[in-house]
Amino acid sequence: MHKVAWFPEDEQIHKMRMHRLMTKNEITDYDELYQRSVEDPAWFWDEVVKDLHLKWDQPYSKVLDLSKGAAWPQWFVDGKMNVATNCLDRWADDPHSQNRLAIITEGDGGDVQRWTYHELREEVAGFAQGLIDIGVMPGDRIAIYLPMVVENVIAMLAIARIGAIFTPCFSGYGAEAVATRLRDCEAKLLITADGFWRRGKVVKMKEEADRAAELSPSVEKVIVVRRIGRDVPSHERDIEWAELGRNKKALSSVKTNANTPFMIIYTSGTTGRPKGTVHVHAGFPIKAAFDAGYGMDLRQEDTLFWMTDMGWMMGPWMVFGALLNGSTMVLFEGTPDYPQPDRLWELVEKHRISHLGISPTVIRTLMKFGEEWVEKHDQSSLKVFASTGEPWNPEPWYWLFDRVGKGRVPICNYSGGTEISGGILFSNLMKPIAPCSFSGPMPGMDAEVVDEQGQPVRGKVGELVMKQPWVGMTQGFWKDPKRYEKAYWSRWEGIWVHGDWVHAEDGGFWYITGRSDDTLKIAGKRLGPAEMESVLVGHPSVIEAATIGVPDAVKGEAAVCFAVLKPGVTGNEELKSELVMLVGEHLGKALRPREIHFVSELPKTRNGKILRRVIKSAYTGQDAGDLSALENPAALEELRREKGST
């Protein structure tokens, strides 16, 4: 689809951790590594674990047991390890690494704090002891409903340290969304804050947390972090965070089994309640650490920042990806364009960020302000851009690559999911990178693109599937194994159907064109929404676009598009006709959209993912399902008005 834009130099390749892993195993060619990793996944993940130098309380006797079937693999059988030990103690106990920075936090107002591995371990051990003092037992579930502050990470690691299970909740959720998760996992405790700042304004949390607790009979205590020092309602069940963390007893981690759950993280569904994906000590963290450390070449001297929330998968992914690799992470409470459009670029300069994780939507938002805001700040610390959440289109990809990275910083396109613990596809830093593309599957991920009969295809769009299990694969949905099996394993026996629609070129590059349930079938031709959206965003007047399919008596389905125009551009019938013709020129007359609507914003999650299913439900008047991830509800009303005007 696109010409190659970035080529790795031989010297760069030889220094990469992936290359060193290959050399260690006497492998000279990356493709050979990939083939061995999918032909013998037990060998591969065993080598990864050894190379990460993880600390095991009891060695595993067998890497992989598939006796319960592909949907229920057991990894590192008989092994005992605790993720908190591996994130903290092995660094804090080493004089060479104990004073290395583990976390840098920056608030919305610019306040900065830093913690070394030694200091973070002290805080985690103290809070873990506090949890034990109030009766938390191994296996208890604790919900974390906090902004991007250090207490979020301390809580996660302390809960894992004592063998309990945490559930991260998006900081922008309302009470009902939080309560849904609390009730589903029967959480014993809820950790929250008095509030936080967002774009200079106070966002109240305690009141929402109180309502959520009242709607959740299992919640016994609410632990309150004093983030902004405002007066909040108090209840008998409340406990101050500061009180729990006072006991600095050096509490060691519980010796948990490799397959002991430590996290339940929820994903939103189009129907029904959210799905609680279950993750274990020797699962999610190892996959995150491999993807960051080897897939993105994150090293101990590097600093990782992902523009996300702890309630989304990339929040915990950043925590475990950074800490298991002994790196530094940045937690940011604010937004990338407040108080000025250069806030993100200022963060990069101030904290010497080497690995910057963003969504294409964030770049589309920032590029409209111009590169002069980038030029104000030194971006020389950047080594890798990483992106996830949605497909790219060329204009913002090139803007980030050329204007910000000056053509020297590769963009690692990365796609997987909450159930994956990281990525299925990525842009391999050892190979040339084409705009908007993936190089193919990550090592250890036996991925294929198949047609409607389940047969492999190249050169046309198909379903993305996984042919074998991998480390980090969710251990089902919390107390709902049948729903899990139906969701991923019911179409073809022993095959995981991921739900992405992918185009794998004969030349080797792969492209995601959207979720397969978002796919349009117009006059018998399947079309990923990203294909039409890229054409629209290629027009100089359009900054963002989304495409949905609606029933059509002649074509079976027709495309309806929604476009956000650049500042100063007036949306009129002439522009609509021009855009319709543009799509026809690029994709063919039969695929011209039936309608184009100009809107001020598209429904998104906070980390920038456009919610096409929400657009479709609002526009067609159907039930939208779970809307708890929606960041901007006002966008729905505008869509409904657009439907009413047609």
Side-chain angles (χ1 to χ4, degrees):
M1 283 188 178
H2 304 290
K3 63 181 181 181
V4 170
W6 181 83
F7 294 87
E9 296 178 359
D10 287 344
E11 185 180 356
Q12 286 177 298
I13 292 173
H14 291 144
K15 289 180 179 178
M16 289 179 187
R17 293 178 68 186
M18 186 85 80
H19 189 272
R20 290 177 180 177
L21 180 65
M22 289 166 50
T23 303
K24 184 178 175 181
N25 286 279
E26 300 180 342
I27 296 172
T28 57
D29 179 68
Y30 172 80
D31 292 337
E32 181 188 344
L33 172 72
Y34 177 75
Q35 280 306 123
R36 284 190 63 183
S37 79
V38 296
E39 289 170 3
D40 191 352
W43 163 82
F44 174 72
W45 290 108
D46 188 34
E47 289 301 319
V48 168
V49 165
K50 290 174 183 174
D51 205 57
L52 283 168
H53 300 292
L54 297 182
K55 179 178 172 57
W56 292 85
D57 296 306
Q58 177 176 301
Y60 45 92
S61 61
K62 184 180 182 181
V63 179
L64 174 61
D65 179 359
L66 288 175
S67 60
K68 296 180 181 178
W72 303 101
Q74 295 294 298
W75 291 92
F76 310 113
V77 179
D78 298 324
K80 291 184 181 292
M81 65 96 81
N82 189 295
V83 68
T85 299
N86 283 281
C87 283
L88 295 174
D89 298 69
R90 64 194 180 114
W91 310 117
D93 289 339
D94 185 345
H96 296 101
S97 56
Q98 62 184 205
N99 293 318
R100 188 189 307 142
L101 281 181
I103 297 179
I104 303 169
T105 66
E106 180 164 324
D108 186 67
D111 51 303
V112 175
Q113 292 181 286
R114 296 175 173 87
W115 285 263
T116 65
Y117 274 91
H118 172 73
E119 291 166 339
L120 183 61
R121 198 257 302 267
E122 293 294 298
E123 294 294 327
V124 168
F127 188 65
Q129 183 62 53
L131 292 175
I132 288 176
D133 291 344
I134 61 170
V136 177
M137 302 290 288
D140 284 346
R141 276 79 64 203
I142 301 175
I144 305 174
Y145 175 48
L146 287 171
M148 292 295 275
V149 291
V150 72
E151 287 87 353
N152 214 317
V153 179
I154 292 169
M156 291 165 62
L157 294 173
I159 292 164
R161 197 174 190 84
I162 62 175
I165 303 169
F166 68 85
T167 293
C169 298
F170 171 45
S171 61
Y173 279 155
E176 287 78 8
V178 177
T180 298
R181 289 150 178 80
L182 296 176
R183 290 195 299 267
D184 189 74
C185 71
E186 298 175 291
K188 188 173 183 177
L189 299 181
L190 172 60
I191 303 173
T192 191
D194 52 0
F196 62 98
W197 285 282
R198 186 166 172 80
R199 306 187 76 83
K201 297 178 180 178
V202 169
V203 178
K204 298 178 179 179
M205 288 194 90
K206 178 59 162 58
E207 290 84 347
E208 293 299 316
D210 283 340
R211 287 206 299 130
E214 287 158 11
L215 293 168
S216 310
S218 62
V219 174
E220 298 174 7
K221 301 287 183 184
V222 175
I223 300 170
V224 185
V225 174
R226 296 291 173 174
R227 168 70 184 110
I228 59 178
R230 58 183 282 264
D231 289 332
V232 294
S234 62
H235 302 275
E236 190 175 336
R237 64 176 175 244
D238 293 351
I239 302 174
E240 294 290 325
W241 171 282
E243 292 295 320
L244 280 187
R246 282 185 177 175
N247 188 343
K248 298 300 182 185
K249 180 181 176 183
L251 182 72
S252 298
S253 299
V254 170
K255 294 180 180 179
T256 46
N257 291 322
N259 290 290
T260 296
F262 80 104
M263 176 176 70
I264 301 168
I265 186 165
Y266 284 85
T267 66
S268 299
T270 53
T271 59
R273 68 186 190 283
K275 300 168 291 192
T277 63
V278 179
H279 292 288
V280 299
H281 281 259
F284 185 108
I286 293 173
K287 173 63 172 162
F290 174 78
D291 288 10
Y294 299 82
M296 300 175 194
D297 203 40
L298 182 75
R299 309 177 198 184
Q300 291 184 11
E301 65 269 23
D302 290 331
T303 299
L304 170 67
F305 168 59
W306 211 284
M307 191 78 219
T308 186
D309 187 273
M310 212 59 78
W312 308 136
M313 186 211 80
M314 293 312 298
W317 182 96
M318 175 172 63
V319 172
F320 299 108
L323 298 185
L324 278 183
N325 283 301
S327 308
T328 304
M329 84 178 95
V330 174
L331 301 181
F332 177 49
E333 182 185 48
T335 50
D337 59 349
Y338 176 85
Q340 298 288 342
D342 61 344
R343 184 63 181 277
L344 181 59
W345 317 125
E346 181 187 51
L347 277 175
V348 171
E349 179 181 35
K350 185 190 300 184
H351 305 305
R352 304 298 296 163
I353 291 167
S354 60
H355 291 63
L356 175 62
I358 35 75
S359 68
T361 293
V362 168
I363 299 306
R364 292 187 195 107
T365 300
L366 295 179
M367 64 187 281
K368 68 185 179 186
F369 299 115
E371 56 262 33
E372 59 268 23
W373 292 98
V374 182
E375 298 296 338
K376 291 173 64 176
H377 301 283
D378 177 12
Q379 306 291 290
S380 63
S381 63
L382 287 168
K383 296 180 180 179
V384 176
F385 294 120
S387 74
T388 192
E390 57 177 326
W392 281 96
N393 51 284
E395 187 183 5
W397 193 98
Y398 273 112
W399 189 86
L400 178 65
F401 182 70
D402 290 330
R403 306 297 183 182
V404 184
K406 307 301 182 187
R408 68 172 184 86
V409 182
I411 300 175
C412 181
N413 210 7
Y414 181 63
S415 183
T418 307
E419 306 90 329
I420 307 299
S421 298
I424 297 175
L425 306 179
F426 80 136
S427 299
N428 187 352
L429 302 182
M430 296 178 66
K431 291 194 172 189
I433 294 175
C436 314
S437 73
F438 301 88
S439 305
M442 301 195 75
M445 306 301 285
D446 193 4
E448 186 57 88
V449 181
V450 301
D451 61 18
E452 292 178 345
Q453 285 72 48
Q455 297 303 308
V457 293
R458 285 293 183 273
K460 62 180 182 178
V461 172
E463 283 273 7
L464 178 64
V465 301
M466 290 288 295
K467 297 186 289 183
Q468 292 188 78
W470 61 95
V471 166
M473 192 177 92
T474 181
Q475 298 291 294
F477 299 152
W478 182 252
K479 292 188 175 180
D480 202 346
K482 289 184 179 178
R483 188 183 182 200
Y484 161 68
E485 289 175 347
K486 182 179 179 182
Y488 294 107
W489 300 95
S490 59
R491 191 161 174 188
W492 295 295
E493 187 176 353
I495 299 292
W496 169 291
V497 179
H498 188 58
D500 276 343
W501 209 240
V502 173
H503 182 271
E505 290 187 341
D506 292 324
F509 292 114
W510 296 35
Y511 299 86
I512 291 180
T513 63
R515 296 292 291 170
S516 54
D517 51 8
D518 290 334
T519 301
L520 292 73
K521 193 170 186 179
I522 302 172
K525 178 176 173 57
R526 288 195 178 276
L527 181 77
E531 296 176 75
M532 193 170 290
E533 292 158 6
S534 283
V535 174
L536 295 171
V537 177
H539 190 281
S541 297
V542 178
I543 189 69
E544 275 189 321
T547 299
I548 62 169
V550 298
D552 183 87
V554 177
K555 297 181 179 180
E557 195 170 28
V560 174
C561 302
F562 303 84
V564 178
L565 301 179
K566 293 182 178 177
V569 176
T570 301
N572 52 37
E573 292 303 317
E574 183 180 349
L575 180 56
K576 285 185 181 180
S577 297
E578 189 177 332
L579 292 172
V580 168
M581 295 299 289
L582 185 67
V583 172
E585 289 171 15
H586 283 266
L587 301 178
K589 290 183 180 180
L591 297 179
R592 287 176 180 171
R594 178 201 286 176
E595 299 167 22
I596 293 181
H597 298 278
F598 298 128
V599 293
S600 58
E601 59 180 342
L602 298 170
K604 298 175 187 172
T605 63
R606 181 176 289 182
N607 60 342
K609 184 183 292 186
I610 295 170
L611 295 169
R612 293 185 187 87
R613 67 170 178 83
V614 171
I615 295 173
K616 186 169 184 175
S617 62
Y619 187 74
T620 58
Q622 297 173 338
D623 179 17
D626 178 24
L627 293 175
S628 56
L630 183 62
E631 164 79 348
N632 51 343
L636 288 187
E637 294 307 316
E638 187 176 9
L639 290 169
R640 293 183 180 115
R641 289 196 299 272
E642 284 296 325
K643 175 59 178 176
S645 66
T646 57

